[in-house]
Amino acid sequence: MKSQFKLATVAAAMGLLSATSAQAVDWGGYFRTGPGATSKDSSRACYGLGGEGMKYRLGNECDFYGEFLLSQGFKADGVEYKAALMTNLYSNGTDTGAVDRGLSGQPATNQSLDHSKLGINQMYVEGKGYDIAPNTNFWIGKRFYGRADVHIVDTFFVNLSGVGAGADSMDVGGGKLAIAAFRSDSADSTKPGSRVNVDFSELVVNPGGKLRIVGTITKGDFTDGKNGFGLTAQHNQDNALGLGGTNILWVQYAQGSAGLNGNFGNLGANSGNKSYRIVESPGWQVGPFGGQGMVMFQHDKLDDGLGNTTNVKSVSVGGRGSYALTKNFKLVAEAAYVQKKPDDSDTQKLAKFTFAPTLATGPGFWNRPELRLYVTTAKWNNAANAASGANGLTGNADGKTKGTSYGAQAEIWF
């Protein structure tokens, strides 16, 4: 009943958005879906260590996910504005109506049979052309904001998204300035927090190279809340190595309740917490051969407030390449190695490889949709199992340190 109510509510909102004007409504989105299994027909497993940038996604996503955006632009007396609504559908399995059978293999009691989740990712209004600042874009609402990612690990190393208000596209010092304030109440009602981001981008620093600086200040508004601060430098390089490719470099620092990605971290974190991260991600397309790679190093210093500090060092190295045999058929492969070393604990290690014959609308690495068949194999150590809890890294409680998964997947953005 709750799911039906949510669906009806979102449908009504979409109807209102599209009915406000005779103008065309823009529609876009993203989704991935497909069946899969592991060897011997056990529950499908996916392989990665916890944390950002520590799971390579090709043939390694066990969920069902889609997001769908409706937006419409208007113009009134010289002011251009837009309303946007994005819904999303998520299930942690491949079937959105799957029965939760629990560890016993029998249907779980006192639970809904449908564990899919429907939500709203974005709902905001923005406008530009106001007489007080004609070239500035103002916005209020919930939105994806200021994001910069590495696709092969499905990680936004800068992600300022949230519920807030701001102004961007301001011409300052040869670049663009954006200022936004956010508030977090719903994720954990016992730990509300406030965040301010200052984002200075598009500053040309070398031929084909642009610099972006993002600053973050956070505050936890509760008894044991802590302040936080973060700073990111991002350099985007076009025509990298003279091959027409791209390269993105991030150098990041955060402390207290700020996250490395410029968002909230742990709002209850001690102010002695400190994290550092360096990420390098090249991308290329040379004839039929395209791809994306990543190297990441992260160092977290976790302070318990009693003078005790735990250091965690994480390393992630991997890449995905595609080679077009014809206009619409390409061979795609992805290989990666990740490790994590907490103080006084064994190093967690995992290696993963995927091979995926793929149909696409064109020969390029970024052409979508892609229709894939895949086989993924992975190997990890006992430390990775122990860090993942009683059920181990795969969640199947089988104690294994290697596995193979196979399946089919569609991925599209539009």
Side-chain angles (χ1 to χ4, degrees), residues 204-336:
V204 176
V205 291
N206 64 283
K210 294 181 179 180
L211 180 65
R212 177 187 186 191
I213 304 293
V214 180
T216 303
I217 298 175
T218 58
K219 176 177 172 51
D221 297 329
F222 52 98
T223 302
D224 61 340
K226 301 296 180 182
N227 297 334
F229 169 77
L231 186 65
T232 288
Q234 175 184 325
H235 181 268
N236 288 61
Q237 181 66 48
D238 292 333
N239 196 27
L241 302 177
L243 298 175
T246 61
N247 188 77
I248 306 176
L249 171 67
W250 289 274
V251 179
Q252 301 180 291
Y253 169 81
Q255 69 177 47
S257 58
L260 280 170
N261 63 359
N263 213 297
F264 292 109
N266 177 5
L267 284 171
N270 189 280
S271 57
N273 280 12
K274 293 181 174 64
S275 295
Y276 314 82
R277 182 163 63 198
I278 298 175
V279 184
E280 180 94 28
S281 180
W284 66 91
Q285 186 72 51
V286 181
F289 180 45
Q292 185 179 57
M294 190 191 78
V295 177
M296 184 195 81
F297 173 77
Q298 182 169 328
H299 186 177
D300 300 302
K301 294 183 177 181
L302 308 178
D303 185 354
D304 65 1
L306 301 175
N308 302 310
T309 300
T310 300
N311 291 277
V312 181
K313 297 180 180 179
S314 303
V315 176
S316 177
V317 181
R320 183 191 305 182
S322 69
Y323 190 87
L325 298 178
T326 72
K327 178 182 177 182
N328 300 122
F329 179 65
K330 53 189 176 183
L331 301 179
V332 183
E334 184 176 87

Side-chain angles (χ1 to χ4, degrees), residues 6 52 56 77 84 104 147 151 210 327 381 396 404 414:
K6 289 180 180 179
E52 294 182 326
Y56 287 75
D77 295 328
S104 67
R147 305 194 303 172
H151 175 75
K210 294 181 179 180
K327 178 182 177 182
N381 63 358
N396 292 327
T404 300
F414 54 95

